[in-house]
Amino acid sequence: MSTSMSRDLLRVLPEMLVAAAAVLGLLLGSFLPRHRQWVVRALAAAAVAAALAVAVARWPAGGTPAFDGVYTVDVALAGTRVIVLGALLLVFALAAGEVRGAARETEFVVLTLLGGLGAVLLAGAADTMLLAAAYLLASVPLYALAAFAKDAPGTEGALKYYLLGALLGVTLLFGVMVLFGGGGATAYRVLAESLPRGPGAAVAVGVLALFAGLLFKAGAVPAHFWVPDVTEGARPPVGALVTTVPKIGAVVAIHRFAGTVLAPTDLDWPLVVAIIAAATMTLGNLAAFFQDSVRRLLAYSTISQVGYVLLAVAAATRSDLALPALLLYLAAYAVTNLGAFAVVCALPETRTLADYTGLRRRYPWLALALVVLLLGLVGTPPTAVFAGKLTVFTAALDAGFGWLVVLAVVNTVASVFYYLRWIVPAVRSGDFAGRPAPQAGAVALAAAPVTIAVGLLAGPLLAAFDGPLLPS
Amino acid sequence: MLTLVIFLPVVVAAVLLAVPRAGDRTVRWAWIATSAVEVALVTAMWVTYSPAPDGYAFEQHHRWIPSVGAGYHVGADGLSLPLLALTAVLFLACAVYSVRRTRRMRAFAALFLFLETVCLGVFTALDLLLFFVFFDLSIVGMYFVIAGWGHRGAARAALMFFLYTFLGSLVLLLGFLGLYLLSSPHSFDIVELARQDPAAGRGAVAGLVLLALVLGLAIKTPTVPVHTWLPPAHVEAPAAGSAILAGILLKMGTYGFVRIVLPVLPGTWRAYAPVIVVVGVVSVLYGALVAMAQRDFKRMIAYTSVNHMGYIVLAFGAAALVAASEEQARQLAITGAVTQMVSHGLITGALFLLAGVLHDRGGTYDLGSYGGLARQLPAFAGLTALAVFASLGLPGFSGFVAEFQIFTGSLSGAPVATAVALLGVLLTAVLLLRAYQRIFLGPSRTVVTGDLTVSETLAIGPLMALSVAIGLFPRFLLDVIEPAARGVL
């Protein structure tokens, strides 16, 4: 093994740790007795925590291409690693009550690890072939997880998820192929030079086809139809996972592709992204308005949140703040969304908004956490999403998307309405029937102050997330 | 010092929530004691107030989000100190007033303490983002007060209040972002922005930023035509909530003008000042006329707020139209406007608490259901008479001092508008006296018993005493405001 190869392997140590934990976990799980399968969960959590520590400790200063430029180790990847790995830890904590001693505990853990790994690879890919592989890795484990409970709603959701994913996966491969035809390469570095000279229409078609696959992973319009069905049909921890982790990788992948490959072309891709962003936040919000099921409401809320995130992508090459804003928003979104899902996981039988009546009286702290988290999703200061929205809006204004920011503001105001539809019964007096599961409840209680802390610590976070996107 | 003053209430609120099974009695006294300590602290600030050369005292500056130039920057000057004092006093009054009448005491007290921190924060913030954080949180706090402790239609009114004012705050945020992008180097710091004058020579963009700022603040103030959230919110809110909403939260809008818009965008403000003057005058007249048509006492007071806040907006507009040579008039208008904020806070706060007493005794705000209450409740009638006279601007009360200065200062800048706005004073006098007559004079229609209790007297009395004190000896207040008013435009 050459020294450059071993240096590259060292650079992707966090990814290797997660992959090793998945393989080892699968082996261990196959001969551990059911009541000892917690060992696999502990191993996975330890590996993810170790990977997280490595990712933080080896924070890259600039961009370094690895493996002959197929993969990029830079701040965008480092940010994604930290957010995804942190999210995986939260998901493990969320699912603890549900999967402990369950028949397929190991499988759950391994599939979650692989799905997370796929999301990280999406963010780091600097080659369309690796991007396609990462897409599959980020998708296939989640199809299985969606149907994990083997019940009718879960199976239906998984089928929808799989069909749409397969279709748009093919589209993505088609895009890869067309871009290869137009640019003669799969590496972003080469494509950036060859595509501006390539056939314009074919390039545009290829880019759109590629984006279609990534938008499916991000749960953005027009590839968002699976989100509510999977979120409602799958078990709540799985819903939390699929609405958080793949989105992070996919959005960073779009950002990277747009910021490096498309930047030199004369395609008006910022406008395309801006239109997708506008449609995503607006349609997500409109659909969320009159949902009575908390999970469907959260599902549509996650769609609209992706719309706000895409504002930063639209500004990718026009504002220095775009990348830090994007990563800050993703971090804020991950912790807030998982926190809100934690409340749902803690109360899996409390399905409708009306069922939350009286939560404040029985469980005042859980109700307070829910209020903080939902107001956090609105973007109330000083929570994390506020800091994210603020920087994203600034980046978009800076990039000349005034109309988009105005639309985002209008959408934010509109979103208050449906989050309040959840808050109001929760703080109203009444008899509350549910009993929160302790682990998931603890995650919710922990997530609420963390969202405020992230908001207050936005300064150092933005500084850490600042870095060049282009591999040097 | 200032940070302690700002955050003490919210810390106490957190402790109150965290202590398991704190009894109503404990909560009540902790709330009153905290509010009293706040009054003492602000009084101490007032006594030791000596501004640095840049105009601010008690300044504190820490980095918060350095990559966008935002910081924790607080300080007090002659514009904010009177409002800090008003906030502390009015919150103490509400604490004393609410002492025996509130269900779910612990949550109520915690919310009010939280709101006190938020209000003090708005009036001390010298950073746009910090200002916005507090500005926005005031909406959240007040939403829960209205929704949780309001009258029958509270849920609807609270939702409307939240959506409407939240829209306003986000439009304001757009304006802040615009200011940030116009400034160079980029900054959210108000002092720095005022020094830079970022909009100079930016033409239409500066106009758009001004539009966003004005719209955002006008919704909060509120001025015609964006005042429609106010009457339902006031009518449905509990008495103490209305008092804080009218007394303090509305001031955030006008304070935003005098703290941010006028100093940071002076040129653009001058260019659009005629529009502002018109908005002010229309608010004055429309507020008074609609108030006159009300049969509901609380709704009527709510509309008089639109009228009274209109004078402030008029003064800000007229101050920009005054010729450069007449520095005196400009300063007079601004000083009058700030005095009016304090005065309106005291008087309307008192009126809303009195409306709460009325509802307690008679079960309705309907003017037609009452009559001859003066015989049955003499102390209540007396105190209400004082508040009514103060509100219509009788000499000897703070309202007169404020409105007199506003009119004198505005006259040279916008003579016609000022003359028209004077009509508003007449209208307010008519409508307030007519309402007073209906409730307190004439034949009795219902048997109402129970004059003012000790806690009600202790809550409302000092507010009126302060109004009289400012009316008779205004110098102690004006001496603080005037130097700061000089640097505004």
Side-chain angles (χ1 to χ4, degrees), chain A residues 360 365 371 375 378 380-381 386 390 393-394 397-398 405 409 412-413 416-417 420 424 455-456 458-459 462, chain B residues 17-18 64-68 104 129 132-133 136-137 140 143-144 159 162-163 166-167 170 173-174 177 180-181:
Chain A
R360 180 191 54 81
W365 289 105
V371 169
L375 289 178
V378 173
T380 313
F386 165 69
L390 176 79
F393 289 0
T394 310
L397 271 183
D398 205 11
V405 176
V409 163
T412 303
V413 175
V416 173
F417 176 76
L420 277 182
V424 167
L456 295 179
L462 277 174
Chain B
L17 286 180
W64 176 26
I65 313 181
S67 36
V68 295
R104 292 191 274 138
L129 276 193
F132 179 78
V133 168
D136 216 30
L137 285 177
V140 176
Y143 168 78
F144 283 109
L159 181 66
F162 199 135
L163 293 179
F166 195 71
L167 176 68
L170 286 177
L173 180 66
L174 277 186
L177 294 180
Y180 169 78
L181 292 171

Short mmCIF file of all heavy atoms in Angstrom, two decimals, chain A residues 360 365 371 375 378 380-381 386 390 393-394 397-398 405 409 412-413 416-417 420 424 455-456 458-459 462, chain B residues 17-18 64-68 104 129 132-133 136-137 140 143-144 159 162-163 166-167 170 173-174 177 180-181:
data_model
loop_
_atom_site.label_atom_id
_atom_site.label_comp_id
_atom_site.label_asym_id
_atom_site.label_seq_id
_atom_site.Cartn_x
_atom_site.Cartn_y
_atom_site.Cartn_z
N ARG A 360 -49.16 19.54 29.32
CA ARG A 360 -48.47 20.43 30.26
C ARG A 360 -48.78 20.07 31.71
O ARG A 360 -47.91 20.11 32.57
CB ARG A 360 -48.89 21.88 30.00
CG ARG A 360 -48.23 22.88 30.92
CD ARG A 360 -48.89 24.23 30.80
NE ARG A 360 -50.32 24.16 31.00
CZ ARG A 360 -50.90 24.12 32.20
NH1 ARG A 360 -50.18 24.17 33.30
NH2 ARG A 360 -52.20 24.04 32.31
N TRP A 365 -42.40 19.42 32.05
CA TRP A 365 -41.09 19.62 31.43
C TRP A 365 -41.08 19.15 29.99
O TRP A 365 -40.49 19.80 29.12
CB TRP A 365 -40.00 18.91 32.23
CG TRP A 365 -39.76 19.59 33.53
CD1 TRP A 365 -40.16 19.18 34.76
CD2 TRP A 365 -39.13 20.87 33.73
NE1 TRP A 365 -39.81 20.11 35.71
CE2 TRP A 365 -39.17 21.14 35.11
CE3 TRP A 365 -38.54 21.79 32.87
CZ2 TRP A 365 -38.63 22.32 35.64
CZ3 TRP A 365 -38.01 22.96 33.40
CH2 TRP A 365 -38.05 23.21 34.77
N VAL A 371 -42.60 22.85 23.42
CA VAL A 371 -42.84 24.25 23.01
C VAL A 371 -41.55 24.88 22.50
O VAL A 371 -41.53 25.53 21.45
CB VAL A 371 -43.42 25.05 24.20
CG1 VAL A 371 -43.42 26.53 23.88
CG2 VAL A 371 -44.82 24.58 24.53
N LEU A 375 -41.21 26.03 18.65
CA LEU A 375 -40.89 27.43 18.38
C LEU A 375 -39.51 27.51 17.73
O LEU A 375 -39.24 28.39 16.92
CB LEU A 375 -40.93 28.26 19.66
CG LEU A 375 -42.31 28.51 20.24
CD1 LEU A 375 -42.22 29.29 21.54
CD2 LEU A 375 -43.17 29.28 19.25
N VAL A 378 -39.94 27.03 14.13
CA VAL A 378 -40.42 28.28 13.52
C VAL A 378 -39.23 29.19 13.22
O VAL A 378 -39.21 29.88 12.21
CB VAL A 378 -41.38 29.01 14.48
CG1 VAL A 378 -41.73 30.37 13.93
CG2 VAL A 378 -42.62 28.19 14.71
N THR A 380 -37.74 30.95 16.10
CA THR A 380 -37.81 32.00 17.11
C THR A 380 -36.43 32.21 17.71
O THR A 380 -35.77 31.24 18.05
CB THR A 380 -38.78 31.56 18.23
OG1 THR A 380 -39.96 31.08 17.64
CG2 THR A 380 -39.10 32.72 19.15
N PRO A 381 -35.98 33.43 17.84
CA PRO A 381 -34.71 33.63 18.51
C PRO A 381 -34.82 33.29 19.98
O PRO A 381 -35.91 33.41 20.53
CB PRO A 381 -34.44 35.12 18.32
CG PRO A 381 -35.78 35.74 18.11
CD PRO A 381 -36.60 34.69 17.43
N PHE A 386 -33.16 29.79 14.35
CA PHE A 386 -33.15 31.24 14.12
C PHE A 386 -31.79 31.66 13.57
O PHE A 386 -31.70 32.37 12.57
CB PHE A 386 -33.44 32.01 15.40
CG PHE A 386 -33.08 33.47 15.30
CD1 PHE A 386 -33.81 34.30 14.46
CD2 PHE A 386 -32.00 34.00 15.98
CE1 PHE A 386 -33.46 35.64 14.33
CE2 PHE A 386 -31.64 35.32 15.85
CZ PHE A 386 -32.38 36.15 15.03
N LEU A 390 -31.28 33.16 9.95
CA LEU A 390 -30.67 34.48 9.83
C LEU A 390 -29.52 34.46 8.84
O LEU A 390 -29.44 35.28 7.92
CB LEU A 390 -30.18 34.92 11.21
CG LEU A 390 -29.44 36.24 11.23
CD1 LEU A 390 -30.44 37.37 11.19
CD2 LEU A 390 -28.57 36.34 12.45
N PHE A 393 -30.73 33.57 5.26
CA PHE A 393 -31.39 34.73 4.63
C PHE A 393 -30.34 35.76 4.21
O PHE A 393 -30.43 36.35 3.13
CB PHE A 393 -32.38 35.39 5.59
CG PHE A 393 -33.63 34.58 5.85
CD1 PHE A 393 -33.83 33.35 5.23
CD2 PHE A 393 -34.62 35.05 6.69
CE1 PHE A 393 -34.96 32.61 5.46
CE2 PHE A 393 -35.77 34.31 6.92
CZ PHE A 393 -35.93 33.09 6.31
N THR A 394 -29.36 35.98 5.08
CA THR A 394 -28.33 36.97 4.75
C THR A 394 -27.59 36.54 3.49
O THR A 394 -27.36 37.36 2.59
CB THR A 394 -27.34 37.11 5.91
OG1 THR A 394 -28.08 37.30 7.11
CG2 THR A 394 -26.42 38.30 5.71
N LEU A 397 -29.88 37.04 0.46
CA LEU A 397 -30.00 38.47 0.12
C LEU A 397 -28.73 38.96 -0.56
O LEU A 397 -28.77 39.69 -1.54
CB LEU A 397 -30.24 39.30 1.38
CG LEU A 397 -31.66 39.53 1.85
CD1 LEU A 397 -31.64 40.43 3.07
CD2 LEU A 397 -32.48 40.20 0.77
N ASP A 398 -27.62 38.52 0.01
CA ASP A 398 -26.32 38.89 -0.52
C ASP A 398 -26.19 38.42 -1.97
O ASP A 398 -25.59 39.09 -2.81
CB ASP A 398 -25.23 38.24 0.35
CG ASP A 398 -23.95 39.01 0.29
OD1 ASP A 398 -23.96 40.13 -0.26
OD2 ASP A 398 -22.93 38.49 0.78
N VAL A 405 -36.12 35.53 -0.29
CA VAL A 405 -36.10 35.76 1.15
C VAL A 405 -37.45 36.26 1.63
O VAL A 405 -37.95 35.84 2.68
CB VAL A 405 -34.97 36.74 1.51
CG1 VAL A 405 -35.00 37.06 2.99
CG2 VAL A 405 -33.62 36.17 1.12
N VAL A 409 -39.77 34.50 4.36
CA VAL A 409 -40.33 35.16 5.54
C VAL A 409 -41.83 34.91 5.63
O VAL A 409 -42.36 34.57 6.69
CB VAL A 409 -40.01 36.68 5.48
CG1 VAL A 409 -40.90 37.45 6.42
CG2 VAL A 409 -38.55 36.91 5.79
N THR A 412 -42.36 31.51 6.79
CA THR A 412 -42.06 31.36 8.21
C THR A 412 -43.26 31.78 9.05
O THR A 412 -43.65 31.11 10.01
CB THR A 412 -40.84 32.20 8.58
OG1 THR A 412 -39.75 31.79 7.77
CG2 THR A 412 -40.47 32.02 10.03
N VAL A 413 -43.85 32.91 8.66
CA VAL A 413 -45.03 33.37 9.41
C VAL A 413 -46.16 32.35 9.30
O VAL A 413 -46.81 32.01 10.28
CB VAL A 413 -45.48 34.76 8.89
CG1 VAL A 413 -46.76 35.17 9.58
CG2 VAL A 413 -44.39 35.78 9.13
N VAL A 416 -45.91 29.38 11.57
CA VAL A 416 -46.29 29.57 12.98
C VAL A 416 -47.65 28.94 13.23
O VAL A 416 -47.89 28.31 14.26
CB VAL A 416 -46.34 31.07 13.32
CG1 VAL A 416 -46.89 31.28 14.71
CG2 VAL A 416 -44.97 31.68 13.20
N PHE A 417 -48.53 29.10 12.23
CA PHE A 417 -49.90 28.65 12.41
C PHE A 417 -49.97 27.17 12.75
O PHE A 417 -50.61 26.76 13.72
CB PHE A 417 -50.70 28.97 11.15
CG PHE A 417 -52.10 28.46 11.19
CD1 PHE A 417 -53.05 29.11 11.95
CD2 PHE A 417 -52.46 27.33 10.49
CE1 PHE A 417 -54.34 28.64 12.00
CE2 PHE A 417 -53.76 26.85 10.53
CZ PHE A 417 -54.70 27.51 11.29
N LEU A 420 -48.33 26.16 16.04
CA LEU A 420 -49.20 26.54 17.16
C LEU A 420 -50.35 25.57 17.32
O LEU A 420 -50.82 25.35 18.44
CB LEU A 420 -49.74 27.95 16.95
CG LEU A 420 -48.83 29.11 17.35
CD1 LEU A 420 -49.54 30.43 17.13
CD2 LEU A 420 -48.41 29.01 18.80
N VAL A 424 -50.84 24.60 21.12
CA VAL A 424 -52.02 25.03 21.87
C VAL A 424 -52.64 23.89 22.69
O VAL A 424 -52.80 24.02 23.91
CB VAL A 424 -53.05 25.69 20.93
CG1 VAL A 424 -54.39 25.85 21.61
CG2 VAL A 424 -52.53 27.04 20.47
N GLY A 455 -27.94 28.03 19.19
CA GLY A 455 -28.25 29.38 18.74
C GLY A 455 -27.31 30.41 19.35
O GLY A 455 -26.81 31.30 18.67
N LEU A 456 -27.04 30.25 20.64
CA LEU A 456 -26.17 31.22 21.31
C LEU A 456 -24.72 31.06 20.89
O LEU A 456 -23.96 32.02 20.90
CB LEU A 456 -26.30 31.08 22.84
CG LEU A 456 -27.68 31.41 23.39
CD1 LEU A 456 -27.72 31.23 24.90
CD2 LEU A 456 -28.06 32.85 23.05
N ALA A 458 -23.72 30.30 17.95
CA ALA A 458 -23.66 30.35 16.49
C ALA A 458 -22.35 30.95 16.01
O ALA A 458 -21.85 30.56 14.95
CB ALA A 458 -24.85 31.15 15.95
N GLY A 459 -21.79 31.88 16.79
CA GLY A 459 -20.56 32.54 16.35
C GLY A 459 -19.42 31.56 16.11
O GLY A 459 -18.92 31.44 14.99
N LEU A 462 -20.17 29.09 13.23
CA LEU A 462 -20.02 29.66 11.89
C LEU A 462 -18.55 29.77 11.52
O LEU A 462 -18.16 29.53 10.38
CB LEU A 462 -20.66 31.04 11.83
CG LEU A 462 -22.16 31.08 11.59
CD1 LEU A 462 -22.66 32.50 11.70
CD2 LEU A 462 -22.48 30.53 10.22
N LEU B 17 -39.94 27.99 38.36
CA LEU B 17 -40.42 26.81 37.65
C LEU B 17 -39.74 25.54 38.15
O LEU B 17 -40.34 24.48 38.20
CB LEU B 17 -40.17 26.96 36.15
CG LEU B 17 -41.08 27.93 35.40
CD1 LEU B 17 -40.71 27.95 33.94
CD2 LEU B 17 -42.53 27.53 35.56
N ALA B 18 -38.46 25.69 38.51
CA ALA B 18 -37.70 24.49 38.86
C ALA B 18 -38.01 24.00 40.26
O ALA B 18 -37.93 22.79 40.52
CB ALA B 18 -36.20 24.79 38.73
N TRP B 64 -20.61 37.87 19.96
CA TRP B 64 -21.60 36.79 19.95
C TRP B 64 -21.45 35.99 18.65
O TRP B 64 -21.03 34.84 18.67
CB TRP B 64 -23.01 37.38 20.10
CG TRP B 64 -24.10 36.37 20.00
CD1 TRP B 64 -24.01 35.04 20.29
CD2 TRP B 64 -25.44 36.60 19.58
NE1 TRP B 64 -25.23 34.43 20.09
CE2 TRP B 64 -26.11 35.35 19.65
CE3 TRP B 64 -26.16 37.73 19.16
CZ2 TRP B 64 -27.45 35.22 19.30
CZ3 TRP B 64 -27.49 37.59 18.83
CH2 TRP B 64 -28.13 36.33 18.91
N ILE B 65 -21.77 36.60 17.52
CA ILE B 65 -21.55 35.91 16.24
C ILE B 65 -20.60 36.79 15.45
O ILE B 65 -21.04 37.56 14.58
CB ILE B 65 -22.86 35.69 15.47
CG1 ILE B 65 -23.94 35.14 16.40
CG2 ILE B 65 -22.66 34.74 14.30
CD1 ILE B 65 -25.26 34.88 15.70
N PRO B 66 -19.31 36.70 15.71
CA PRO B 66 -18.39 37.66 15.09
C PRO B 66 -18.39 37.60 13.57
O PRO B 66 -18.17 38.61 12.91
CB PRO B 66 -17.03 37.27 15.67
CG PRO B 66 -17.21 35.97 16.33
CD PRO B 66 -18.65 35.81 16.65
N SER B 67 -18.67 36.40 13.00
CA SER B 67 -18.58 36.33 11.54
C SER B 67 -19.65 37.17 10.85
O SER B 67 -19.52 37.49 9.68
CB SER B 67 -18.65 34.88 11.06
OG SER B 67 -19.51 34.13 11.86
N VAL B 68 -20.72 37.54 11.55
CA VAL B 68 -21.66 38.48 10.95
C VAL B 68 -21.68 39.80 11.72
O VAL B 68 -22.57 40.62 11.53
CB VAL B 68 -23.10 37.91 10.87
CG1 VAL B 68 -23.15 36.74 9.93
CG2 VAL B 68 -23.62 37.53 12.23
N ARG B 104 -53.40 29.48 38.09
CA ARG B 104 -52.09 29.00 37.66
C ARG B 104 -51.03 30.07 37.90
O ARG B 104 -50.38 30.55 37.00
CB ARG B 104 -52.12 28.56 36.21
CG ARG B 104 -52.98 27.32 36.02
CD ARG B 104 -52.81 26.74 34.64
NE ARG B 104 -53.71 27.37 33.70
CZ ARG B 104 -53.39 27.73 32.48
NH1 ARG B 104 -52.16 27.55 32.06
NH2 ARG B 104 -54.27 28.27 31.68
N LEU B 129 -29.34 42.45 16.12
CA LEU B 129 -29.78 41.07 16.33
C LEU B 129 -30.28 40.86 17.75
O LEU B 129 -31.28 40.19 17.98
CB LEU B 129 -28.64 40.10 16.06
CG LEU B 129 -28.44 39.71 14.61
CD1 LEU B 129 -27.51 38.54 14.53
CD2 LEU B 129 -29.76 39.37 13.97
N PHE B 132 -33.57 42.28 17.99
CA PHE B 132 -34.56 41.41 17.37
C PHE B 132 -34.90 40.21 18.24
O PHE B 132 -36.06 39.80 18.32
CB PHE B 132 -34.07 40.94 16.00
CG PHE B 132 -35.05 40.04 15.33
CD1 PHE B 132 -36.16 40.57 14.71
CD2 PHE B 132 -34.89 38.67 15.37
CE1 PHE B 132 -37.09 39.74 14.12
CE2 PHE B 132 -35.82 37.84 14.78
CZ PHE B 132 -36.93 38.38 14.16
N VAL B 133 -33.87 39.64 18.87
CA VAL B 133 -34.12 38.48 19.74
C VAL B 133 -35.15 38.84 20.80
O VAL B 133 -36.16 38.14 20.98
CB VAL B 133 -32.81 38.01 20.39
CG1 VAL B 133 -33.10 37.03 21.50
CG2 VAL B 133 -31.89 37.39 19.36
N ASP B 136 -38.69 39.70 19.30
CA ASP B 136 -39.45 38.53 18.89
C ASP B 136 -39.95 37.74 20.11
O ASP B 136 -41.08 37.25 20.12
CB ASP B 136 -38.56 37.65 18.03
CG ASP B 136 -39.33 36.98 16.92
OD1 ASP B 136 -40.32 37.58 16.47
OD2 ASP B 136 -38.96 35.88 16.53
N LEU B 137 -39.11 37.62 21.12
CA LEU B 137 -39.52 36.86 22.29
C LEU B 137 -40.68 37.53 23.01
O LEU B 137 -41.49 36.86 23.66
CB LEU B 137 -38.33 36.68 23.24
CG LEU B 137 -37.30 35.66 22.78
CD1 LEU B 137 -36.14 35.62 23.76
CD2 LEU B 137 -37.92 34.28 22.68
N VAL B 140 -43.76 35.98 21.72
CA VAL B 140 -44.01 34.63 22.24
C VAL B 140 -44.58 34.72 23.65
O VAL B 140 -45.58 34.07 23.99
CB VAL B 140 -42.70 33.82 22.21
CG1 VAL B 140 -42.93 32.46 22.84
CG2 VAL B 140 -42.19 33.67 20.80
N TYR B 143 -48.08 36.09 23.67
CA TYR B 143 -49.02 35.11 23.12
C TYR B 143 -49.52 34.17 24.21
O TYR B 143 -50.73 33.93 24.34
CB TYR B 143 -48.35 34.30 22.01
CG TYR B 143 -49.16 33.08 21.61
CD1 TYR B 143 -50.26 33.21 20.79
CD2 TYR B 143 -48.84 31.82 22.11
CE1 TYR B 143 -51.02 32.12 20.44
CE2 TYR B 143 -49.60 30.72 21.76
CZ TYR B 143 -50.69 30.87 20.94
OH TYR B 143 -51.45 29.79 20.61
N PHE B 144 -48.59 33.66 25.01
CA PHE B 144 -49.01 32.71 26.04
C PHE B 144 -49.83 33.39 27.13
O PHE B 144 -50.73 32.78 27.71
CB PHE B 144 -47.79 31.99 26.62
CG PHE B 144 -47.27 30.91 25.71
CD1 PHE B 144 -46.07 31.06 25.04
CD2 PHE B 144 -48.00 29.76 25.49
CE1 PHE B 144 -45.59 30.08 24.19
CE2 PHE B 144 -47.54 28.77 24.64
CZ PHE B 144 -46.34 28.93 23.99
N LEU B 159 -53.90 34.09 18.53
CA LEU B 159 -53.32 33.61 17.27
C LEU B 159 -53.12 34.76 16.30
O LEU B 159 -52.07 34.92 15.68
CB LEU B 159 -54.24 32.54 16.65
CG LEU B 159 -53.71 31.95 15.35
CD1 LEU B 159 -52.45 31.16 15.61
CD2 LEU B 159 -54.75 31.06 14.69
N PHE B 162 -50.23 36.81 17.39
CA PHE B 162 -48.94 36.15 17.12
C PHE B 162 -48.59 36.29 15.64
O PHE B 162 -47.51 36.78 15.28
CB PHE B 162 -49.02 34.68 17.52
CG PHE B 162 -47.69 34.02 17.71
CD1 PHE B 162 -47.44 33.20 18.81
CD2 PHE B 162 -46.66 34.20 16.79
CE1 PHE B 162 -46.21 32.60 18.98
CE2 PHE B 162 -45.44 33.59 16.97
CZ PHE B 162 -45.21 32.80 18.05
N LEU B 163 -49.52 35.88 14.77
CA LEU B 163 -49.21 35.88 13.34
C LEU B 163 -48.93 37.28 12.83
O LEU B 163 -47.95 37.53 12.12
CB LEU B 163 -50.36 35.25 12.55
CG LEU B 163 -50.57 33.76 12.80
CD1 LEU B 163 -51.75 33.25 11.99
CD2 LEU B 163 -49.32 32.98 12.44
N PHE B 166 -45.75 38.72 14.46
CA PHE B 166 -44.59 37.92 14.04
C PHE B 166 -44.21 38.30 12.61
O PHE B 166 -43.03 38.43 12.28
CB PHE B 166 -44.93 36.44 14.13
CG PHE B 166 -43.75 35.53 14.09
CD1 PHE B 166 -42.86 35.47 15.15
CD2 PHE B 166 -43.50 34.73 12.99
CE1 PHE B 166 -41.76 34.64 15.10
CE2 PHE B 166 -42.41 33.90 12.94
CZ PHE B 166 -41.54 33.85 13.99
N LEU B 167 -45.24 38.50 11.77
CA LEU B 167 -44.96 38.97 10.41
C LEU B 167 -44.21 40.30 10.49
O LEU B 167 -43.21 40.50 9.81
CB LEU B 167 -46.27 39.14 9.64
CG LEU B 167 -46.11 39.71 8.23
CD1 LEU B 167 -45.39 38.71 7.35
CD2 LEU B 167 -47.45 40.07 7.62
N LEU B 170 -40.62 39.79 11.43
CA LEU B 170 -39.77 39.24 10.37
C LEU B 170 -39.51 40.27 9.28
O LEU B 170 -38.41 40.31 8.71
CB LEU B 170 -40.41 37.98 9.78
CG LEU B 170 -40.30 36.79 10.72
CD1 LEU B 170 -41.01 35.59 10.13
CD2 LEU B 170 -38.86 36.43 10.98
N LEU B 173 -36.83 42.14 10.54
CA LEU B 173 -35.57 41.41 10.39
C LEU B 173 -35.01 41.60 8.97
O LEU B 173 -33.81 41.78 8.78
CB LEU B 173 -35.78 39.92 10.68
CG LEU B 173 -34.54 39.05 10.57
CD1 LEU B 173 -33.53 39.41 11.63
CD2 LEU B 173 -34.88 37.58 10.68
N LEU B 174 -35.91 41.57 7.99
CA LEU B 174 -35.46 41.82 6.61
C LEU B 174 -34.78 43.18 6.53
O LEU B 174 -33.74 43.33 5.89
CB LEU B 174 -36.66 41.80 5.66
CG LEU B 174 -37.14 40.45 5.16
CD1 LEU B 174 -38.23 40.67 4.12
CD2 LEU B 174 -35.98 39.70 4.53
N LEU B 177 -31.41 42.93 8.03
CA LEU B 177 -30.47 42.28 7.11
C LEU B 177 -30.05 43.24 6.00
O LEU B 177 -28.88 43.27 5.59
CB LEU B 177 -31.09 41.02 6.50
CG LEU B 177 -31.37 39.88 7.48
CD1 LEU B 177 -32.00 38.70 6.76
CD2 LEU B 177 -30.10 39.45 8.17
N TYR B 180 -27.56 45.51 7.36
CA TYR B 180 -26.29 44.77 7.51
C TYR B 180 -25.55 44.71 6.18
O TYR B 180 -24.34 44.96 6.11
CB TYR B 180 -26.60 43.37 8.03
CG TYR B 180 -25.44 42.40 7.98
CD1 TYR B 180 -24.44 42.47 8.94
CD2 TYR B 180 -25.35 41.43 6.99
CE1 TYR B 180 -23.38 41.59 8.90
CE2 TYR B 180 -24.30 40.55 6.95
CZ TYR B 180 -23.31 40.63 7.90
OH TYR B 180 -22.26 39.76 7.86
N LEU B 181 -26.29 44.41 5.12
CA LEU B 181 -25.63 44.27 3.82
C LEU B 181 -25.20 45.62 3.25
O LEU B 181 -24.23 45.70 2.52
CB LEU B 181 -26.56 43.55 2.84
CG LEU B 181 -26.80 42.09 3.20
CD1 LEU B 181 -27.89 41.49 2.33
CD2 LEU B 181 -25.52 41.28 3.04
#
